[in-house]
Amino acid sequence: MRGRRGDRMTINIQEHMAINVCPGPIRPIRQISDYFPRRGPGPEGGGGRGCGEAPAHLAPLALAPPAALLGASTPDDGAEVDSYDSDDTTALGTLEFDLLYDQASCTLHCRILRAKGLKPMDFNGLADPYVKLHLLPGACKANKLKTKTQRNTLNPVWNEELTYSGITDDDITHKVLRISVCDEDKLSHNEFIGEIRVPLRRLKPSQKKHFNICLERQVPLPSPSSMSAALRGISCYLKELEQVEQGPGLLEERGRILLSLSYSSQRRGLLVGIVRCAHLAAMDVNGYSDPYVKTYLRPDVDKKSKHKTCVKKKTLNPEFNEEFFYEMELSTLATKTLEVTVWDYDIGKSNDFIGGVSLGPGARGEGRRHWSDCLQQPDAALERWHTLTSELPPAAGALPSA
């Protein structure tokens, strides 16, 4: 902005109405040009100040104390608070919830408390909100949890606890919890309001963490055709890097299974317990599966090592609580591999493979450690969660479907 020598310098309306956009309460500023003094004739030209100095009558731009910005209140139970920008006037609203990782039971407890100031989605200016949880990466349908729907409100109170079973320390280090708030519509598709994504690595074992966070819009990923060659190259590189980090056979998780191993010195054999499965992949059109579990002890020369549980109808979180016994010396068991596969039962056609895992000296990760601990601690029942993968064990591919 220029002026003639001796004229009073004027401020246009855009500069005069500028606001402070730093986090915290919105505060008007008299003239934004005062923060950028200009040298020029007269007292308005900055004659008495240096170029980098702000006027004395205006406070410098400074962030408010964190507690004032967050507007967070300390919970009565002493839980750690993680909250930011919880202004009631936000466009999408805020969500308040607690997360607790129980390392002993391998469970993740998610208590959805309440939301405030949600975006109106219906003609009456209200909404019918509910909350969905997903663990990423992973099959969304398999690990989806959902609260009840609260009718005709923009400030719903749920106070519901949703629990994930089979959560290991490895999950805590690399998985993300996606929390979505949606509006239920009986006449058409449900509408998305906003979401929050919480990396589980922010949680500490056995310590509840309190959150009060603004909802964010869902940002769609760009399609490959709209990406530049450089971006496509970076995207392919990141996918390959993720596959290398996860390792072969772990590219697609199909759920979890809780297994119990115990070598009985008195009975001289291995006792295998199929306890339960958690968030299995859905194989049927109704969004569920009819799962059952098969076990084999390889190599199986006599083909007598097959055991099979009963079928659990229409569930992705079946509880079996069944045990199988393999009579065998401990020294011989050290050369064996236990193959556990989960299948979806179908009437009149081949059953669908859901996922599998191998335990033995040639297995990887937790499967190898569980087997080794079992052989080193006879007569001790050891329960561990294992990840089911889409990789079909080599011997299972030739097995009959039932």
Side-chain angles (χ1 to χ4, degrees):
M1 179 174 58
R2 298 179 180 178
R4 295 181 180 180
R5 183 179 297 274
D7 291 346
R8 181 181 178 86
M9 194 168 292
T10 59
I11 304 299
N12 58 36
I13 188 64
Q14 286 83 1
E15 290 186 331
H16 183 73
M17 297 301 294
I19 61 174
N20 179 3
V21 295
C22 288
I26 295 177
R27 296 172 297 176
I29 300 175
R30 291 188 180 90
Q31 292 181 353
I32 197 172
S33 59
D34 285 331
Y35 288 95
F36 306 94
R38 298 176 174 83
R39 293 183 180 276
E44 288 78 22
R49 302 192 299 265
C51 185
E53 298 178 5
H57 66 279
L58 288 178
L61 287 173
L63 294 178
L69 289 180
L70 304 181
S73 59
T74 304
D76 296 335
D77 55 5
E80 185 180 351
V81 177
D82 193 340
S83 170
Y84 61 85
D85 194 18
S86 57
D87 191 353
D88 293 344
T89 61
T90 53
L92 302 178
T94 63
L95 182 66
E96 190 173 352
F97 57 96
D98 293 333
L99 296 180
L100 172 64
Y101 170 52
D102 190 340
Q103 192 176 32
S105 60
C106 296
T107 54
L108 176 64
H109 300 277
C110 314
R111 177 166 288 277
I112 307 300
L113 300 175
R114 63 185 64 84
K116 295 176 63 177
L118 294 180
K119 178 182 177 181
M121 304 299 291
D122 299 335
F123 291 111
N124 59 3
L126 301 174
D128 302 319
Y130 65 93
V131 178
K132 292 190 302 182
L133 304 183
H134 296 97
L135 277 178
L136 305 176
C140 288
K141 289 185 178 180
N143 61 51
K144 181 180 75 173
L145 298 178
K146 178 182 171 183
T147 67
K148 297 179 181 178
T149 301
Q150 301 296 324
R151 301 290 177 185
N152 297 322
T153 178
L154 300 180
N155 301 284
V157 177
W158 290 283
N159 199 24
E160 291 186 40
E161 182 165 311
L162 307 175
T163 302
Y164 281 105
S165 300
I167 302 300
T168 62
D169 291 340
D170 184 60
D171 293 326
I172 295 298
T173 58
H174 77 273
K175 282 190 177 292
V176 174
L177 179 65
R178 180 193 181 197
I179 307 177
S180 307
V181 181
C182 301
D183 171 62
E184 183 178 289
D185 196 332
K186 294 183 178 180
L187 301 180
S188 62
H189 296 291
N190 298 338
E191 296 181 287
F192 175 84
I193 298 178
E195 71 172 25
I196 296 167
R197 301 199 178 194
V198 181
L200 296 185
R201 62 177 177 270
R202 298 171 63 181
L203 303 180
K204 298 178 182 178
S206 303
Q207 181 175 342
K208 183 167 67 174
K209 194 174 182 68
H210 184 76
F211 295 81
N212 188 14
I213 307 181
C214 285
L215 295 173
E216 299 178 354
R217 292 177 175 84
Q218 189 176 23
V219 181
L221 296 176
S223 61
S225 59
S226 64
M227 299 170 63
S228 65
L231 289 178
R232 283 196 297 270
I234 293 174
S235 177
C236 294
Y237 167 76
L238 292 177
K239 287 183 178 179
E240 292 180 359
L241 180 62
E242 181 180 4
Q243 293 176 359
V244 171
E245 290 178 347
Q246 291 181 344
L250 298 179
L251 301 183
E252 183 182 356
E253 295 185 4
R254 310 299 293 272
R256 300 294 171 86
I257 185 169
L258 180 59
L259 299 176
S260 173
L261 296 182
S262 175
Y263 183 81
S264 175
S265 302
Q266 184 177 2
R267 299 175 61 184
R268 295 186 178 275
L270 176 68
L271 190 63
V272 179
I274 310 298
V275 183
R276 61 178 300 184
C277 295
H279 42 85
L280 297 176
M283 308 301 292
D284 298 334
V285 293
N286 59 8
Y288 294 96
S289 295
D290 301 319
Y292 66 94
V293 180
K294 292 192 296 186
T295 64
Y296 287 83
L297 197 59
R298 306 290 186 183
D300 184 16
V301 179
D302 298 329
K303 297 183 179 180
K304 296 181 179 180
S305 67
K306 173 184 172 181
H307 289 288
K308 185 173 72 171
T309 68
C310 61
V311 177
K312 299 295 182 178
K313 295 290 186 178
K314 199 177 178 181
T315 178
L316 301 179
N317 299 278
E319 294 188 14
F320 298 99
N321 294 316
E322 297 188 31
E323 292 183 340
F324 306 132
F325 183 74
Y326 292 98
E327 186 175 355
M328 192 168 298
E329 294 293 335
L330 184 62
S331 58
T332 306
L333 197 61
T335 62
K336 298 287 186 176
T337 297
L338 179 68
E339 292 178 358
V340 182
T341 54
V342 183
W343 301 78
D344 169 55
Y345 177 75
D346 288 322
I347 300 176
K349 58 180 179 179
S350 298
N351 299 327
D352 298 319
F353 175 72
I354 297 179
V357 63
S358 296
L359 292 81
R364 295 183 295 265
E366 189 62 31
R368 184 174 183 174
R369 288 191 293 268
H370 195 182
W371 189 260
S372 176
D373 293 344
C374 173
L375 300 185
Q376 294 176 6
Q377 304 176 39
D379 302 315
L382 304 177
E383 285 190 357
R384 304 279 176 84
W385 282 96
H386 297 273
T387 301
L388 299 171
T389 70
S390 57
E391 183 181 19
L392 188 67
L399 299 177
S401 58

